[in-house]
Amino acid sequence: MPEILQYEFMRNAILAALFSSIACGIIGSYVVVKKIGFISGGIAHAAFGGIGLGYYLGINPLFGLVPFSLLSAMGIGLLSRKANVSEDTAIGAFWAAGMAIGVIFIGLTPGYAPNLFSYLFGNILTVPSSDLLMILGLDVVIIVSVFLLFKEFLALSFDEEYAEVSGVKTTLVYLLLLGLIALTVVILVRIVGIVMVIALLTIPAAIARRFSRNLLSMMVLASLFSALFCLGGLWISYLLDIASGASIILIAAAVFLAVHLFKGEAGSR
């Protein structure tokens, strides 16, 4: 380990893993409890349009990802809540439209987009210092938002009907939660890519749920699991010279299967 820390790209990768795990654990817990993993995937793929826009404008694609992710989240939420459109239909429409917009913008951009593969499948080893600052800033936004609205998000996640009867503006709180999911997607795209965002957003939280008794402990455990998976996948990718994003997801999936198989056998005895 000490010898790899002499490289700046490895130091950046480790910090990116730790920073992203905070958002992943917090928001992933809400995603798992409320069972909205498919929405997360829809937001992630719709955000591809933002990547295409970033390349077309010649700016950091992350600056295109943020507005596209937020707009996609709001669009999916409003269509499913206000326009009498089923949730899966709204997700499918934004999923396809976002990907199509991204392809068009990339096609209109002169030359070749060399880093496109890393946004689709992730490459934590290419995270620059500027992206670290953005990830850290988004972490702060997520932590402050969850701290201020913890009770509202808790009520929405476990019993939305009771929350509405209690006076909680459930539609507004739901849209805010989708917005935080969108920001988390932006962070995780740099780590595991658009294709595998759903896995890292849900697997650590799903494992943590088996070992926790309340939402707060679930968030803490999910963040720790996410950090371990990211660091473990990073280490394996360095040793074997294989894709970092795929390594992270494979480790997470293996632990997920092991935990649920073991806990299932233990529970049946």
Side-chain angles (χ1 to χ4, degrees):
M1 179 65 73
E3 69 254 17
I4 70 174
L5 293 178
Q6 64 182 310
Y7 302 111
E8 182 181 4
F9 73 92
M10 287 301 299
R11 294 195 298 270
N12 286 350
I14 292 171
L15 289 174
L18 296 176
F19 291 163
S20 64
S21 297
I22 297 171
C24 183
I26 294 173
I27 300 303
S29 297
Y30 287 122
V31 169
V32 169
V33 168
K34 193 155 177 59
K35 300 177 182 178
I36 51 175
F38 190 43
I39 290 181
S40 308
I43 294 172
H45 285 77
F48 186 71
I51 294 175
L53 178 63
Y55 273 114
Y56 180 74
L57 297 177
I59 61 176
N60 186 336
L62 281 184
F63 292 120
L65 263 175
V66 173
F68 251 81
S69 298
L70 289 172
L71 288 173
S72 299
M74 296 303 104
I76 291 171
L78 288 173
L79 275 179
S80 61
R81 292 291 178 112
K82 298 293 187 181
N84 198 25
V85 176
S86 65
E87 203 166 71
D88 58 340
T89 301
I91 293 167
F94 274 87
W95 184 314
M99 295 293 289
I101 291 171
V103 170
I104 288 174
F105 274 123
I106 291 170
L108 292 174
T109 304
Y112 173 69
N115 296 322
L116 183 60
F117 190 85
S118 67
Y119 285 98
L120 287 173
F121 300 101
N123 191 350
I124 195 173
L125 297 176
T126 62
V127 176
S129 299
S130 58
D131 284 3
L132 285 178
L133 293 175
M134 175 178 280
I135 293 173
L136 185 58
L138 293 178
D139 272 345
V140 172
V141 172
I142 289 168
I143 291 170
V144 171
S145 300
V146 170
F147 177 78
L148 294 175
L149 297 169
F150 185 79
K151 291 182 179 179
E152 288 80 0
F153 286 146
L154 184 67
L156 180 76
S157 299
F158 286 97
D159 195 338
E160 187 169 340
E161 291 183 2
Y162 174 77
E164 190 164 359
V165 171
S166 301
V168 176
K169 296 181 179 179
T170 53
T171 298
L172 178 60
V173 174
Y174 181 64
L175 291 176
L176 289 173
L177 179 59
L178 290 185
L180 295 180
I181 291 173
L183 295 181
T184 306
V185 164
V186 171
I187 294 173
L188 296 183
V189 161
R190 290 300 278 126
I191 310 302
V192 294
I194 285 174
V195 175
M196 295 181 283
V197 158
I198 303 177
L200 195 58
L201 198 57
T202 56
I203 290 177
I207 297 172
R209 193 175 191 181
R210 301 300 296 266
F211 300 99
S212 55
R213 298 190 176 210
N214 56 63
L215 186 60
L216 188 58
S217 62
M218 181 179 171
M219 289 177 175
V220 174
L221 281 175
S223 297
L224 291 175
F225 282 128
S226 179
L228 289 173
F229 297 152
C230 289
L231 293 176
L234 180 61
W235 178 246
I236 289 176
S237 70
Y238 176 80
L239 291 178
L240 303 180
D241 193 24
I242 57 178
S244 55
S247 301
I248 292 169
I249 297 304
L250 284 177
I251 290 177
V255 174
F256 174 82
L257 291 174
V259 166
H260 282 75
L261 288 174
F262 176 77
K263 294 281 283 187
E265 289 180 0
S268 63
R269 291 175 184 172

